[in-house]
């Protein structure tokens, strides 16, 4: 009897180990982050990831480069033309996204899934493959930090951070106020970034949904399409992103690179 129990226990332990192999993955989308802001202020914490990870500052949003449309492309892995999801408007009670998403991929890989967002309309992306979905308008980073520092099981988290999308239209993209807000966000991210730098097998991806120009965004202006991509992974090679072109709809396949590495 004891042996059987031991066998079952060791099987359970092995299962835990094998699905933990690829580690946790967090995708952080800093809404409306222009890649030039990173170059301009050399943020302390995101800067550490740039030093030890791989980056691409020539990323591109989908057409049109708008918040909900771009995030839907990231999560579904499809362009707005392919998915048909081309509305930038959603309110509670409206239908949510259907079909497979990056959260389904994470579940299949044995990971717990978290979705933390700070703009109501991103509620459109809620789906049955998400274990825990939390809306936090001004505190999405601290909600995520608490989970990341305490979660013992491997997980996939998509964290959306608002702020620059409000300062940009009010003061202008890359204005002093905009850069100050970005510094603030970077400071807030310190514990999460340090956690992933010191994790045994984690992957952290920092990106955005679109940028903007002057006080405008969402137009066909080339600046509006710009976005950064920064990846630090202890398990998976992403060296190619330094030189390849990247568009936000390709995020799902990048994340799957980590999940599929067994
Ligand atoms: Zn946005």
């Amino acid at each position: 009897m004891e042996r059987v129990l031991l066998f079952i226990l060791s099987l359970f332990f092995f299962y835990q180990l094998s699905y933990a192999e690829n580690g946790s993955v967090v995708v952080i989308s800093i809404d409306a982050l222009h890649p030039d802001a990173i170059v301009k202020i050399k943020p302390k914490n995101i800067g550490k990831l740039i030093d030890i990870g791989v980056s691409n500052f020539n990323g591109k949003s989908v057409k049109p480069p708008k918040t909900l449309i771009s995030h839907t492309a990231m999560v579904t892995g499809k362009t707005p033309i392919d998915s048909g999801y081309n509305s930038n408007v959603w309110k509670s009670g409206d239908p949510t996204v259907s079909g497979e998403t990056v959260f389904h991929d994470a579940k299949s890989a044995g990971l717990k899934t978290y979705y933390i967002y700070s703009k109501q309309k991103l509620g459109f992306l809620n789906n049955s493959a998400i274990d825990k979905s939390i809306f936090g308008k001004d505190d999405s980073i601290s909600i995520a930090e608490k989970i990341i520092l305490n979660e013992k099981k491997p997980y996939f988290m998509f964290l959306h951070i608002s702020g620059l999308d409000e300062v940009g239209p009010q003061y202008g993209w890359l204005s002093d106020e905009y850069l100050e807000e970005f510094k603030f966000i970077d400071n807030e991210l310190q514990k999460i970034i340090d956690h992933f730098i010191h994790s045994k097998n984690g992957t952290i991806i920092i990106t955005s949904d679109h940028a903007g120009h002057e006080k405008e965004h969402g137009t066909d202006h080339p600046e509006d399409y710009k976005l950064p991509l920064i990846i630090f992974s202890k398990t998976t090679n992403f060296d190619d992103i330094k030189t390849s072109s990247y568009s936000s709809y390709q995020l799902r396949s990048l994340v799957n690179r980590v999940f599929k590495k067994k």
Side-chain angles (χ1 to χ4, degrees):
M1 183 63 193
E2 258 175 42
R3 274 191 185 182
V4 174
L5 198 66
L6 203 66
F7 178 68
I8 292 170
L9 270 176
S10 61
L11 262 187
F12 181 70
F13 186 62
F14 180 72
Y15 173 71
Q16 293 268 325
L17 265 185
S18 62
Y19 90 64
E21 237 170 57
N22 295 337
S24 296
V25 181
V26 63
V27 171
I28 302 176
S29 173
I30 303 175
D31 205 310
L33 174 58
H34 195 301
D36 288 0
I38 300 174
V39 179
K40 269 197 152 100
I41 72 160
K42 297 183 181 66
K44 202 171 76 204
N45 299 297
I46 294 172
K48 293 183 227 167
L49 294 177
I50 294 170
D51 288 346
I52 58 175
V54 290
S55 339
N56 182 329
F57 297 118
N58 294 308
K60 235 183 136 189
S61 186
V62 290
K63 190 181 167 86
K66 295 184 175 181
T67 300
L68 181 55
I69 300 170
S70 184
H71 280 100
T72 302
M74 290 185 217
V75 165
T76 61
K78 290 179 180 158
T79 64
I81 287 177
D82 286 345
S83 71
Y85 289 131
N86 50 19
S87 170
N88 196 40
V89 185
W90 183 88
K91 57 183 189 324
S92 183
D94 288 351
T96 50
V97 69
S98 65
E100 297 274 301
T101 66
V102 68
F103 294 103
H104 294 79
D105 306 330
K107 284 301 286 178
S108 305
L111 301 176
K112 202 167 165 179
T113 50
Y114 289 98
Y115 177 40
I116 299 160
Y117 60 106
S118 52
K119 254 187 163 175
Q120 285 284 8
K121 64 179 167 189
L122 290 182
F124 170 69
L125 296 174
N126 275 313
N127 66 75
S128 60
I130 298 172
D131 292 320
K132 196 150 192 171
S133 167
I134 306 168
F135 171 72
K137 194 186 175 312
D138 298 313
D139 55 352
S140 66
I141 298 177
S142 59
I143 292 167
E145 181 188 296
K146 210 176 261 177
I147 294 166
I148 288 171
L149 298 186
N150 293 296
E151 181 58 81
K152 300 281 182 274
K153 288 190 178 140
Y155 58 86
F156 168 70
M157 178 187 286
F158 194 104
L159 165 62
H160 163 259
I161 301 167
S162 201
L164 293 175
D165 51 314
E166 287 166 14
V167 180
Q170 199 179 346
Y171 298 98
W173 260 260
L174 303 170
S175 62
D176 289 347
E177 292 83 355
Y178 177 95
L179 295 175
E180 268 314 305
E181 174 71 11
F182 179 44
K183 265 188 211 165
F184 175 78
I185 292 172
D186 179 69
N187 277 330
E188 295 265 288
L189 285 171
Q190 185 184 341
K191 282 189 182 161
I192 294 177
I193 288 174
D194 286 348
H195 177 84
F196 274 84
I197 288 174
H198 297 115
S199 77
K200 218 171 71 198
N201 55 3
T203 298
I204 181 167
I205 299 177
I206 296 190
T207 186
S208 181
D209 53 347
H210 58 78
H213 69 286
E214 292 162 21
K215 293 179 181 175
E216 301 287 321
H217 69 290
T219 75
D220 232 7
H221 193 289
E223 294 295 307
D224 293 7
Y225 284 89
K226 293 186 175 178
L227 57 84
L229 178 69
I230 298 154
I231 306 181
F232 174 66
S233 177
K234 292 264 173 109
T235 62
T236 312
N237 190 302
F238 286 101
D239 281 350
D240 55 300
I241 70 143
K242 287 188 262 186
T243 47
S244 59
S245 62
Y246 171 75
S247 177
S248 47
Y249 76 90
Q250 292 167 309
L251 182 85
R252 183 179 170 193
S253 73
L254 281 184
V255 173
N256 266 280
R257 211 188 274 190
V258 185
F259 298 156
K260 285 175 180 155
K261 199 170 173 289
K262 287 272 180 197

